[in-house]
Every structure is written in C-alpha cells, then in structure tokens.
Amino acid sequence: MSQKTIGASLRSQGISRRGFLKFCAATASMLALPPAVIPQIAHALENAKRQSVIWLSFQECTGCTESLTRSHAPTLENLVFDLLSLDYHHTLQAASGDAAEHARELAMEANKGEYLLIVDGSIPTANKGYSTIAGISNIDMFHEVAKDAKAIVAVGTCAAYGGLPKAEPNPTGAVSVEDLITDKPVINVPGCPPIPMVITGIVAHFLTFNTLPELDSLKRPLSFYGQNIHDRCYRRPFYERAQFAETFDDEGAKKGWCLYKLGCKGPTTYNACATAKWNEGVSFPIEAGHGCIGCSEPDFWDAGSFYKALSVPLSGTAQAAGYAVAAGAAMGVAAGAMNMAKRNSARKTHETVSIDDLEREQS
C-alpha cells in the first residue's frame, strides 16, 4: 500500500528516462493508441500513485490468474512492482488466514473509494455455503468489497457472464458481476481464460487515464474486442475460396484450410486472439489447428456443439437457401448462433447476419 509514485518507483529501480519512455510507447501500442498519446501516458504514469488492487476469486479454476502470470506486455512483475499495489490475491499473496483478511480490510480502509476491484469466477446465489472464504460467503465478501471500489473488472467469462458454473442446469445459481452490480463502473474482460495482454492492458489503461476504456454493449473494451476473430484470421483466404477442412487430420487440415465446417465460432466471437495471440504472440487455437469455441461470448457453454458448423439466419427459407448457394459447397456460412440468441437475447451484442452481409457492409 505504498504511496510512492510510479515514476519514483521506477527510478528507484534504476530505470532511465529513456527506458521509461520506451515503456510508455509499448503501453500506447498495446492499447492501440496513436504515438501522439505517449507524452500523456508518460506524464500520467510519472505522477500517478501505485494503484491499490483487491483481487477476489470465487467459482473459478485459477485459469485467469495462470493467464495473468504469463503476460509479457507488461509482465506480472512490472505490474506488481512498478504499477500496482496488489493488496489481496488468494493465489499470489504470501499471507494466509487472518493475516490475509486483515490485509484486505486495511487496503479497503486506506484506499476507500479509490481501489480497483478485480473479480474472477462466478458468484453462487443458490446457497451461501456453496463457496466461502475465511468463513465469509462469496456473495457477502463481494458486496463488502465492491461497496467502496472505484471500478470493478470482471476477468474471465465466469465473472463476466457466469461461465461454466452458470451452464445449464446451473446448480449453484451462479451469476456474473454485472448481475449483482448496478451502481459501479464494470468492465468485462471475457475469455476462458482471457489473453494475458488483455488483462494487463486494461489495468495499464486504468492507471494511465484513470478511467475505463471505450466499451461495447457487453462492456468489453473495444480495443481488444472490437472485431470478430474471423475478420482477422489468417485462414480467411481459404474461407473465401470455399476451401474447408472436413476432419482434423485430412489433407485440408494439413494445408491450413478454414475450420468452419469443424465448428469454428470465429465469425461470432469478438476477441483479439488472431492478433495478440498467446505465449508472447506465438500462436492461438486456430493456428494450432482447432476451431474457436467462442469462449469470450455469453453462454458459450450452452450454445451447442463446439464441432457443429454455424448456420444461416432463419429469417426466411429462400434467403437462407440463397446464402448457402452463394457460399459454395452447398453450405450455410453465418455469423450468428441462433440458439445462443434465443437463450440470452437481452444480452445479444451484434445482429445475427450472414457473413455475406458482413462483407457487403465492409465493402
């Protein structure tokens, strides 16, 4: 809970002004900001206090924290030692038991109204005893910490939408952060887990500008979730030529053909996987040979088989047939999963349209 500024913290570690400006330039690039913003980032970080962060983990698999530890721009070490005061985190903190809870309470009191709350995992509501921490139910601890938080970041699909715990029949009554919070700024960073750079990028943006980035209708940052994976996928030229892998080990698969027929959900999934990638930009699931499963979209666990091809809209039989003929190979090519829309129409982000329609809009 140090009050030292970020600039002073960096200087105390021997980081030069030149190195600091390089860090600011990398931050601007990561957030898709123009070079003209670099001086603003430098000024903001130079004078900003290290941000107090309380991270709560509820019904989750620790995958989001595992992802965070693999971030390279900035690294977890850069965040914790240079930018943040990570005052509470079940997995990363050294303290345990009463000492850990005391640290959380001290951080809440010392930074009242200013700390950033990060949550991963859904919150059970059917029975408070389903998940507890230090004898406190998840929902009670969440409301206690959220009360005086400046903003809340829901990291991972479980926190953002309920995720796997909320999948039918949802025995624990799992809900998302947004289901419980209506009076605080909330930013969703979905993914199962999210890309490491997306998690750290959002925190870096908050530290730099003291505000949330521009969000879409599902409260996801547009800088990372503004385009669907299909639009940026390196396999798209094969889609354009109607060259599709029929199985995971046929000649088409070996040649890197489009995975649409094998259930790829890239056309309906908004994320930065195809550009930011994983493991320091090495690869992402489609590049590794498996179709996108749509993990950054609401209710993806209940959206149907991961290996069933998307279908065209059902707005008209003749129109649907026309789309299928135009796509070639007598198959429908679409950007909407209709069963997902029926399950959660109130939270639908984008209209379900055919890929042909999307391409016409872009041209």
Side-chain angles (χ1 to χ4, degrees), residues 317-345:
T317 304
Q319 184 183 32
Y323 289 140
V325 172
M331 53 183 277
V333 183
M338 297 303 294
N339 51 353
M340 181 188 295
K342 290 176 182 177
R343 291 182 188 278
N344 205 353
S345 60

Side-chain angles (χ1 to χ4, degrees), residues 139 152 346:
I139 192 167
I152 304 173

Side-chain angles (χ1 to χ4, degrees), residues 257-333:
W257 288 4
C258 179
L259 301 173
Y260 161 77
K261 282 190 174 183
L262 297 177
C264 181
K265 305 301 188 290
T268 64
T269 304
Y270 289 74
N271 209 333
C273 300
T275 51
K277 300 187 179 182
W278 297 78
N279 299 319
E280 300 189 23
V282 172
S283 183
F284 70 112
I286 293 175
E287 193 168 352
H290 194 287
C292 169
I293 64 173
C295 72
S296 58
E297 298 300 314
D299 302 324
F300 83 101
W301 283 102
D302 292 325
S305 172
F306 293 152
Y307 303 104
K308 182 178 179 181
L310 297 170
S311 59
V312 297
L314 303 178
S315 55
T317 304
Q319 184 183 32
Y323 289 140
V325 172
M331 53 183 277
V333 183

Side-chain angles (χ1 to χ4, degrees), residues 4-17 20 42-50 82-83:
K4 183 186 292 186
T5 66
I6 292 172
S9 176
L10 293 173
R11 286 192 296 274
S12 69
Q13 297 176 58
I15 296 176
S16 66
R17 180 68 179 172
F20 175 65
H43 178 75
L45 291 182
E46 175 73 24
N47 297 286
K49 300 289 180 64
R50 291 175 63 204
D82 302 339
L83 305 177

Side-chain angles (χ1 to χ4, degrees), residues 13 61 86 118 170 183 189-190 203 210 231 238 241 252 314 327:
Q13 297 176 58
C61 66
L86 188 58
I118 298 179
N170 190 8
D183 60 346
V189 185
V203 175
N210 198 32
D231 287 343
F238 296 106
R241 295 193 294 269
L314 303 178

Side-chain angles (χ1 to χ4, degrees), residues 199-214:
I199 302 175
T200 54
I202 298 310
V203 175
H205 185 285
F206 185 82
L207 290 171
T208 302
F209 302 106
N210 198 32
T211 186
L212 300 181
E214 185 179 1

Side-chain angles (χ1 to χ4, degrees), residues 109-133:
E109 182 62 31
N111 302 284
K112 190 173 183 179
E114 295 297 325
Y115 59 83
L116 183 65
L117 171 60
I118 298 179
V119 177
D120 73 305
S122 64
I123 304 154
T125 61
N127 187 315
K128 289 187 176 183
Y130 282 153
S131 181
T132 64
I133 301 164

Side-chain angles (χ1 to χ4, degrees), residues 11-281:
R11 286 192 296 274
S12 69
Q13 297 176 58
I15 296 176
S16 66
R17 180 68 179 172
R18 182 181 181 84
F20 175 65
L21 290 176
K22 284 184 178 180
F23 172 80
C24 294
T27 301
S29 176
M30 174 183 61
L31 298 173
L33 297 172
V37 178
I38 294 174
Q40 181 182 350
I41 294 175
H43 178 75
L45 291 182
E46 175 73 24
N47 297 286
K49 300 289 180 64
R50 291 175 63 204
Q51 175 66 50
S52 172
V53 171
I54 295 176
W55 182 306
L56 300 178
S57 298
F58 297 134
Q59 290 191 133
E60 43 77 35
C61 66
T62 315
C64 296
T65 293
E66 290 286 350
S67 179
L68 174 68
T69 62
R70 289 158 176 77
S71 178
H72 67 285
T75 65
L76 177 63
E77 293 86 349
N78 289 147
L79 276 177
V80 173
F81 295 118
D82 302 339
L83 305 177
L84 301 179
S85 178
L86 188 58
D87 296 322
Y88 185 83
H89 188 298
H90 298 154
T91 305
L92 300 178
Q93 64 194 10
S96 63
D98 290 341
E101 296 311 307
H102 185 56
R104 175 177 63 83
E105 293 163 358
L106 285 178
M108 291 168 56
E109 182 62 31
N111 302 284
K112 190 173 183 179
E114 295 297 325
Y115 59 83
L116 183 65
L117 171 60
I118 298 179
V119 177
D120 73 305
S122 64
I123 304 154
T125 61
N127 187 315
K128 289 187 176 183
Y130 282 153
S131 181
T132 64
I133 301 164
I136 306 171
S137 69
N138 288 177
I139 192 167
D140 287 343
M141 180 175 286
F142 173 70
H143 281 304
E144 178 188 358
V145 181
K147 179 182 177 182
D148 293 317
K150 187 171 186 177
I152 304 173
V153 181
V155 168
T157 297
C158 291
Y161 308 132
L164 173 60
K166 190 183 177 183
E168 292 185 359
N170 190 8
T172 66
V175 298
S176 68
V177 168
E178 195 177 354
D179 288 330
L180 297 176
I181 293 295
T182 58
D183 60 346
K184 297 280 182 183
V186 174
I187 180 170
N188 289 325
V189 185
C192 195
I195 298 172
M197 193 176 74
V198 177
I199 302 175
T200 54
I202 298 310
V203 175
H205 185 285
F206 185 82
L207 290 171
T208 302
F209 302 106
N210 198 32
T211 186
L212 300 181
E214 185 179 1
L215 308 177
D216 68 7
S217 61
L218 288 179
K219 298 186 177 179
R220 302 176 296 194
L222 282 172
S223 56
F224 294 106
Y225 298 89
Q227 290 183 300
N228 66 45
I229 292 173
H230 175 78
D231 287 343
R232 305 297 292 273
C233 182
Y234 78 100
R235 293 181 187 249
R236 179 152 182 170
F238 296 106
Y239 162 80
E240 303 289 354
R241 295 193 294 269
Q243 293 177 308
F244 303 100
E246 300 285 344
T247 68
F248 284 110
D249 60 355
D250 67 7
E251 286 303 308
K254 294 175 183 177
K255 294 176 181 178
W257 288 4
C258 179
L259 301 173
Y260 161 77
K261 282 190 174 183
L262 297 177
C264 181
K265 305 301 188 290
T268 64
T269 304
Y270 289 74
N271 209 333
C273 300
T275 51
K277 300 187 179 182
W278 297 78
N279 299 319
E280 300 189 23

